[in-house]
């Protein structure tokens, strides 16, 4: 009997080598090589279009891509207006966070207008039916297919021709062409490639559900993110009822959009005013609290930045951030000392973004800095004040994108004062809000002292 050939595949990047070694030569990761059977090379792909010819780009007519509204406004916002004909969407998140619930709710609405198919590889048909009954969904027009073999799923998709199909989840699907187990690097990559090819050729919009590993990667390696058109991440703490859906890649819309949901007994509910989630409710103003307006895609959100400054009990003061970049905090403290004369080298500094939101834009710099000053001096910032601005190493306050939209959102929610960069000063007065434009960090601290402290 001929011995089958084995190779070693990296669980992080999918690279393959013939002999085992401690470090992957492709991505330099350690202890990620696992032994698998070598796959037979066969032709598994057919062309998307039967007619392949060279065309001049200027002669091709650009048409609007038709979309399928999901019936969930927060999800449509993240998708850029709805699902696209022939598009492939990857929805990732921790197990149990609500991915299947959200998609079942969306299919329930879309089934009233379009043919839909829910392919369940993790749960039986009875389990899916029990979930739909618990959520009180109208699923009379939703087709369900419980299967994990790729070839059977492809045959059903070709026969039924649904407008939207959900594959839950990609880790459970396997192809007979490969001998490796479901969920392995080769199986995940092969099944995703075949389903993507089917979506492009048939026009069916396919939604792939992918679990996030303990390292935070989608389905092990990140190869899936390059294959699909849209990548959505489902975020949220398990002890909290709030869930966030972010778009990290979208070929048919804007990225960094944010959808906010609340988990309830009846499924995921849309949150119309997400700013209320990220603001604390104090009886009176407290030191170390500063409100900023961040921009998540096209949506301005009010977020509370809290800072706690305390005397260090060790030779090395601690710098801890939750929801913000820790290295940037160290830089801001150095700028505060150099250009505003306020030292924190002997203080422990803790900064937190309320509500579990993650702020990646530099527009939070000024709010973090003023929150630190407020906590250090033990004096609160004025009530109903918002702060936005990016801090440069020279002490200048740099402008942020969409400054006017942020100010209008703050005024709409009842805030009447704002400290903003000089370059973001509006040309026309915004009703209900007094704008204080500053150019240097020293000016911002002085304005906070003279007007508020």
């Amino acid at each position: 009997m001929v011995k089958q050939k084995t190779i070693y595949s990296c669980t992080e990047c999918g690279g393959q080598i013939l002999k085992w070694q401690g470090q992957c030569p492709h991505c330099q990761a350690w202890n990620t090589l696992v032994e698998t059977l070598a796959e037979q090379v066969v032709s598994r792909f057919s062309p998307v279009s039967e007619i392949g010819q060279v065309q001049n780009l200027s002669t091709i007519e650009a048409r609007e891509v038709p979309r399928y509204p999901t019936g969930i406004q927060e999800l449509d916002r993240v998708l850029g207006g709805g699902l696209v004909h022939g598009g492939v969407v990857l929805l990732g998140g921790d197990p149990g966070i609500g991915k299947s619930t959200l998609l079942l709710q969306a299919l329930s609405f879309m089934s009233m207008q379009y043919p839909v198919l829910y392919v369940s590889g993790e749960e039986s048909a009875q389990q899916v039916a029990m979930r739909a009954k618990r959520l009180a969904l109208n699923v009379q027009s939703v087709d369900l297919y419980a299967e994990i073999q790729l070839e059977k799923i492809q045959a059903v998709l070709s026969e039924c021709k649904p407008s939207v199909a959900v594959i839950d989840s990609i880790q459970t699907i396997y192809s007979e062409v490969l001998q490796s187990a479901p969920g392995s690097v080769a199986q995940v990559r092969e099944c995703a490639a075949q389903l993507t090819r089917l979506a492009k050729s048939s026009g069916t919009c396919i939604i792939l559900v992918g679990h996030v590993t303990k390292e935070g990667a989608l389905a092990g390696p990140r190869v899936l993110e390059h294959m699909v058109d849209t990548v959505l991440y489902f975020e949220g703490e398990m002890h909290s009822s709030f869930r966030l859906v972010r778009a990290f890649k979208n070929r048919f819309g804007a990225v960094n959009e944010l959808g906010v949901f609340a988990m309830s007994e009846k499924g995921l509910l849309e949150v119309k005013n997400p700013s209320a989630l990220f603001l604390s409710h104090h009886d009176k103003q407290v030191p170390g609290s500063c409100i900023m307006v961040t921009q998540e895609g096209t949506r301005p959100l009010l977020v509370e930045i809290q800072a706690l400054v305390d005397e260090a009990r060790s030779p090395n003061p601690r710098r801890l951030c939750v929801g913000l970049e820790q290295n940037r905090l160290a830089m801001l403290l150095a700028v505060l000392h150099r250009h505003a004369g306020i030292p924190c080298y002997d203080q422990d500094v803790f900064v937190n973004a309320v509500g579990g939101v993650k702020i990646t834009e530099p527009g939070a710099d000024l709010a973090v800095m003023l929150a630190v000053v407020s906590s250090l001096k033990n004096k609160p910032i004025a009530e109903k004040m918002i702060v936005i601005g990016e801090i440069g190493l020279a002490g200048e306050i740099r402008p942020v994108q969409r400054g006017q939209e942020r100010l209008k959102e703050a005024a709409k929610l009842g805030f009447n004062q704002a400290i903003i960069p000089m370059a973001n000063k509006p040309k026309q007065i915004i009703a209900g809000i007094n704008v204080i434009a500053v150019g240097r960090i020293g000016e911002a601290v002085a304005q906070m002292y003279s007007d508020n402290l």
Side-chain angles (χ1 to χ4, degrees), residues 292-341:
M292 69 155 295
V293 186
T294 185
Q295 193 77 22
E296 290 287 350
T298 58
R299 164 183 282 178
L301 293 176
L302 271 71
V303 178
E304 180 179 354
I305 304 296
Q306 292 181 341
L308 176 62
V309 181
D310 192 20
E311 183 179 353
R313 306 299 181 186
S314 63
N316 297 320
R318 288 180 291 176
R319 307 284 187 257
L320 180 62
C321 279
V322 179
L324 297 130
E325 187 179 355
Q326 185 165 343
N327 292 334
R328 198 164 187 86
L329 174 61
M331 182 194 74
L332 294 177
L333 295 178
V335 174
L336 183 63
H337 183 200
R338 180 66 178 269
H339 297 285

Side-chain angles (χ1 to χ4, degrees), residues 25 71 84 92 101 132 154 159 177 221 232 256 296 356 419:
V84 177
T101 299
Q154 288 177 307
E159 179 183 355
V177 177
L232 307 182
N256 293 328
E296 290 287 350
I419 298 179

Side-chain angles (χ1 to χ4, degrees), residues 148-201:
I148 61 174
Q149 185 178 339
L150 175 65
E151 287 73 19
K152 292 183 179 180
I153 295 174
Q154 288 177 307
V156 169
L157 289 174
S158 301
E159 179 183 355
C160 297
K161 293 182 171 45
S163 297
V164 180
V166 172
I167 310 296
D168 187 10
S169 67
I170 190 62
Q171 277 93 346
T172 61
I173 309 301
Y174 77 96
S175 173
E176 286 186 337
V177 177
L178 306 179
Q179 299 176 352
S180 52
S184 62
V185 176
Q187 287 285 4
V188 168
R189 182 166 49 191
E190 171 69 14
C191 294
Q194 292 286 355
L195 290 171
T196 300
R197 178 69 53 152
L198 179 62
K200 301 303 179 184
S201 59

Side-chain angles (χ1 to χ4, degrees), residues 63-357:
R63 294 175 295 178
E64 289 293 330
V65 181
R67 293 181 181 269
Y68 306 114
T70 64
I72 304 175
Q73 294 182 2
E74 292 294 308
L75 183 58
D76 286 339
R77 173 195 294 273
V78 179
L79 290 169
L83 296 170
V84 177
H85 178 79
V88 182
V89 179
L90 175 63
L91 177 62
D94 296 326
I97 202 169
K99 301 183 297 297
S100 301
T101 299
L102 177 64
L103 294 177
L104 194 58
Q105 291 180 227
L107 287 184
S108 173
F109 174 83
M110 289 187 290
S111 65
M112 301 178 185
Q113 300 177 348
Y114 315 104
V116 298
L117 175 65
Y118 188 95
V119 180
S120 177
E122 295 185 347
E123 299 175 305
S124 65
Q126 290 76 15
Q127 290 175 315
V128 178
M130 289 175 59
R131 171 180 292 158
K133 183 178 180 180
R134 185 178 71 251
L135 299 177
L137 298 177
N138 181 12
V139 292
Q140 294 182 356
S141 302
V142 178
D143 294 331
L144 175 66
Y145 184 50
E147 182 56 57
I148 61 174
Q149 185 178 339
L150 175 65
E151 287 73 19
K152 292 183 179 180
I153 295 174
Q154 288 177 307
V156 169
L157 289 174
S158 301
E159 179 183 355
C160 297
K161 293 182 171 45
S163 297
V164 180
V166 172
I167 310 296
D168 187 10
S169 67
I170 190 62
Q171 277 93 346
T172 61
I173 309 301
Y174 77 96
S175 173
E176 286 186 337
V177 177
L178 306 179
Q179 299 176 352
S180 52
S184 62
V185 176
Q187 287 285 4
V188 168
R189 182 166 49 191
E190 171 69 14
C191 294
Q194 292 286 355
L195 290 171
T196 300
R197 178 69 53 152
L198 179 62
K200 301 303 179 184
S201 59
S202 65
T204 298
C205 176
I206 295 181
I207 304 176
L208 305 177
V209 177
H211 293 307
V212 173
T213 63
K214 61 181 180 180
E215 291 83 10
L218 260 175
R222 303 180 73 92
V223 293
L224 291 184
E225 300 184 7
H226 303 287
M227 295 182 182
V228 300
D229 300 311
T230 304
V231 178
L232 307 182
Y233 274 86
F234 218 129
E235 302 174 357
E237 299 293 336
M238 298 303 296
H239 60 269
S240 174
S241 62
F242 299 110
R243 302 288 188 267
L244 306 178
V245 179
R246 294 179 184 269
F248 282 84
K249 173 186 176 182
N250 195 351
R251 290 174 179 163
F252 308 107
V255 296
N256 293 328
E257 286 287 358
L258 181 70
V260 185
F261 298 89
M263 180 65 78
S264 67
E265 295 180 355
K266 297 298 183 180
L268 289 163
L269 304 178
E270 300 178 71
V271 178
K272 301 298 183 181
N273 183 20
S275 295
L277 302 180
F278 310 128
L279 298 178
S280 296
H281 300 284
H282 306 289
D283 296 334
K284 59 180 181 179
Q285 288 299 103
V286 295
S289 175
C290 185
I291 309 298
M292 69 155 295
V293 186
T294 185
Q295 193 77 22
E296 290 287 350
T298 58
R299 164 183 282 178
L301 293 176
L302 271 71
V303 178
E304 180 179 354
I305 304 296
Q306 292 181 341
L308 176 62
V309 181
D310 192 20
E311 183 179 353
R313 306 299 181 186
S314 63
N316 297 320
R318 288 180 291 176
R319 307 284 187 257
L320 180 62
C321 279
V322 179
L324 297 130
E325 187 179 355
Q326 185 165 343
N327 292 334
R328 198 164 187 86
L329 174 61
M331 182 194 74
L332 294 177
L333 295 178
V335 174
L336 183 63
H337 183 200
R338 180 66 178 269
H339 297 285
I342 302 177
C344 294
Y345 53 81
D346 58 347
Q347 304 286 326
D348 291 332
V349 180
F350 307 93
V351 178
N352 175 43
V354 174
V357 67

Side-chain angles (χ1 to χ4, degrees), residues 378-423:
N378 198 29
K379 295 180 180 180
I381 297 176
E383 190 177 5
K384 299 299 180 182
M385 169 176 278
I386 61 107
V387 177
I388 55 175
E390 178 186 352
I391 304 297
L393 290 179
E396 78 278 11
I397 300 179
R398 302 174 60 83
V400 297
Q401 295 181 350
R402 302 193 177 187
Q404 295 220 14
E405 287 84 349
R406 303 188 195 213
L407 292 175
K408 291 178 181 178
E409 179 71 12
K412 185 174 67 174
L413 295 176
F415 288 81
N416 52 29
Q417 297 185 69
I419 298 179
I420 66 171
M422 187 69 70

